[in-house]
Amino acid sequence: MTREEICAKRYDALEAFSLPGRFVSCEKYGSGHINDTFLVITVNSGIEKKYILQRMNGDIFKDPESLMNNIVLVTDFLKDKIRARGGDAARETLNPLRTPDGKPFFKDSLGSFWRIYDFITDAISLDRVRDAEDFYQSAVAFGRFSGQMADFDASLLTETIPDFHNTPKRYETFEKAVEEDICGRAGFVSEEIAFFRAHKDDMALCKNELDAGLLPLRVTHNDTKLNNIMLDAKTGKGLCVLDLDTVMPGLSIFDFGDSIRFGANTAAEDEQDLSKVSLSLELFETYVKGYLEGCDGALTDEEIRLLPYGAKTMTLECGMRFLTDYLQGDTYFMIHRKGHNLDRAHTQIRLVQDMEKKWDAMTAIVEKYR
Ligand code: ADP
Ligand code: GN1
Ligand code: MG
């Protein structure tokens, strides 16, 4: 069955949620790599209302009911925090809608799970920063998110993707994909494979620190890409953290690092001209400053010291995941052209190489804020 056929069920989902008003449109939306996202427009008493409809990726999220339970718990918890400080709970966190029988999801006849969120209005999510201020605002907001989640009871959360940022485990999966080579592609990417093999020990460093009890496990977001946050369109300030599918116990340095991997790259994640790819030290410093401010003193000295390692590990891990998916036939990340995952792996490799060149400067920046 094609993705188109699977997504045709979106009209059943819309019906199941019985949105008020007159239906206007339901079009593909956003640039996420995982779920099928649609912008829904309705009109009620002459007033336009927008929603985000998503088909959760059932190959990746094996237990969508528990996932939605996580999201309801997290968003309810955040709403209380937002209200307590006089904020607007309708705009500053996701609001999952319920079906008439009270469920925050709908299961269609093909077995896909769907959800609807209120659309966050007068706000923007960006694939690239327009200027350093955007990045600073996203850093403060992601840092604040982790501060808000500090007293959330992690035992309530289902681990939606086990070992999500267990980088050594990701390495094993990568080696298995190379060995099995089900698409016969490994021969074309021997240099790329050698690159990740040469970085095997680097990829274990943060996990070793965690296992040794030197880094605390916190409730983290785990997918802190720039387009997983909304900025207020008028003020430019960080407004709402999106994509809560992977909120699980994790490392703060990985939340920091994933943001750097995506947002401090001077090129897009899938840029084909690798001469455009580099780490912007200006954006790196901006994010360090904003993230530490957002976390408001919560990070330990060791977490701060290891921020550059978080950035390097997340870039290595993500690059290796893209290459693994390329080897396995592009079944995980959504692709929009042939070789898309390989292009993405290439940018991550180039970014790691640039981080290695700029390592002393990255360390010096972090020392300034320690
Ligand atoms: P994926 O897991 O596929 O990345 P996301 O949940 O991140 O899916 O959604 C994809 C994109 O849709 C986001 O990057 C953002 O631009 C947009 N989006 C998601 N939820 C909302 C929302 N409630 N309001 C406005 N835009 C949203
Ligand atoms: C995916 O869902 P999205 O597009 O925000 C992925 C992240 C990767 C990212 C790479 C659940 O994020 O882990 O870092 O692509 N999310 C999942 O762009 O695997
Ligand atoms: Mg996303």
Side-chain angles (χ1 to χ4, degrees):
M1 189 162 297
T2 66
R3 201 153 195 141
E4 253 327 291
E5 287 164 333
I6 292 169
C7 286
K9 289 282 170 198
R10 63 186 178 276
Y11 299 104
D12 293 359
L14 285 174
E15 219 178 297
F17 277 91
S18 327
L19 299 176
R22 179 173 58 82
F23 171 80
V24 176
S25 61
C26 175
E27 302 293 337
K28 250 199 151 323
Y29 188 76
S31 46
H33 296 340
I34 302 299
N35 297 303
D36 290 299
T37 301
F38 300 89
L39 171 65
V40 178
I41 302 181
T42 64
V43 171
N44 201 4
S45 310
I47 297 168
E48 186 184 87
K49 170 98 176 124
K50 292 180 178 172
Y51 303 90
I52 286 288
L53 167 71
Q54 286 184 321
R55 188 185 77 88
M56 289 172 256
N57 188 320
D59 295 330
I60 293 174
F61 300 112
K62 305 286 184 206
D63 182 358
E65 289 192 39
S66 299
L67 185 157
M68 284 315 292
N69 187 49
N70 279 3
I71 291 191
V72 168
L73 289 171
V74 168
T75 52
D76 282 351
F77 180 83
L78 289 175
K79 278 175 200 165
D80 286 345
K81 294 244 159 176
I82 293 162
R83 285 191 198 107
R85 62 169 172 73
D88 179 355
R91 289 183 78 230
E92 294 175 34
T93 188
L94 287 170
N95 183 35
L97 269 54
R98 304 215 175 228
T99 58
D101 58 355
K103 294 202 179 78
F105 57 82
F106 162 72
K107 186 179 179 186
D108 72 26
S109 58
L110 297 173
S112 292
F113 281 74
W114 298 81
R115 65 183 169 209
I116 297 186
Y117 294 122
D118 280 324
F119 189 88
I120 313 284
T121 51
D122 304 316
I124 47 167
S125 86
L126 300 168
D127 286 320
R128 302 281 298 281
V129 293
R130 295 167 302 185
D131 52 32
E133 180 64 17
D134 283 341
F135 206 39
Y136 171 75
Q137 292 300 340
S138 73
V140 174
F142 275 126
R144 197 175 55 216
F145 175 86
S146 88
Q148 286 171 329
M149 294 305 290
D151 53 345
F152 184 88
D153 178 0
S155 70
L156 297 174
L157 291 176
T158 300
E159 217 182 347
T160 52
I161 304 181
D163 291 316
F164 190 56
H165 284 317
N166 182 342
T167 321
K169 196 112 188 227
R170 295 271 186 197
Y171 184 84
E172 284 170 25
T173 308
F174 156 72
E175 281 290 9
K176 196 158 167 269
V178 175
E179 194 189 310
E180 291 175 352
D181 192 20
I182 58 167
C183 299
R185 291 173 170 178
F188 302 113
V189 290
S190 46
E191 271 182 40
E192 292 83 346
I193 292 169
F195 178 84
F196 290 110
R197 285 184 170 154
H199 286 82
K200 183 180 175 191
D201 291 347
D202 286 342
M203 282 192 265
L205 190 140
C206 298
K207 176 73 166 59
N208 290 343
E209 285 261 328
L210 171 71
D211 292 346
L214 299 170
L215 286 174
L217 208 51
R218 300 180 184 276
V219 176
T220 47
H221 183 277
N222 295 304
D223 191 359
T224 50
K225 265 160 79 161
L226 184 68
N227 62 19
N228 284 334
I229 203 155
M230 309 236 35
L231 305 178
D232 188 294
K234 282 197 200 87
T235 64
K237 295 227 182 314
L239 180 69
C240 175
V241 172
L242 306 172
D243 207 343
L244 303 174
D245 296 338
T246 51
V247 173
M248 291 182 282
L251 293 180
S252 60
I253 61 168
F254 284 172
D255 269 5
F256 168 85
D258 207 23
S259 289
I260 296 299
R261 174 195 78 71
F262 190 84
N265 181 354
T266 53
E269 189 185 61
D270 59 357
E271 174 61 58
Q272 289 176 299
D273 178 355
L274 292 180
S275 70
K276 292 186 180 158
V277 175
S278 68
L279 176 84
S280 160
L281 283 172
E282 186 207 346
L283 290 178
F284 179 80
E285 174 153 7
T286 300
Y287 203 92
V288 170
K289 185 171 178 291
Y291 192 67
L292 293 179
E293 281 173 24
C295 289
D296 199 17
L299 297 194
T300 65
D301 196 51
E302 186 66 351
E303 283 175 298
I304 300 174
R305 184 181 78 80
L306 288 176
L307 289 176
Y309 291 90
K312 186 173 172 187
T313 307
M314 282 299 94
T315 313
L316 282 164
E317 184 191 279
C318 198
M320 188 172 66
R321 289 173 64 198
F322 288 142
L323 187 62
T324 302
D325 199 27
Y326 173 76
L327 291 169
Q328 292 179 332
D330 305 306
T331 55
Y332 187 97
F333 297 103
M334 239 180 262
I335 58 163
H336 306 291
R337 58 175 185 252
K338 225 172 131 221
H340 207 165
N341 272 318
L342 184 57
D343 292 340
R344 292 170 177 151
H346 286 154
T347 62
Q348 305 305 290
I349 291 174
R350 178 56 73 95
L351 193 58
V352 170
Q353 288 167 334
D354 199 48
M355 285 179 185
E356 287 174 340
K357 281 189 206 136
K358 294 173 177 162
W359 194 253
D360 290 347
M362 288 167 73
T363 308
I365 288 168
V366 166
E367 286 306 311
K368 242 168 78 180
Y369 292 89
R370 229 167 119 194

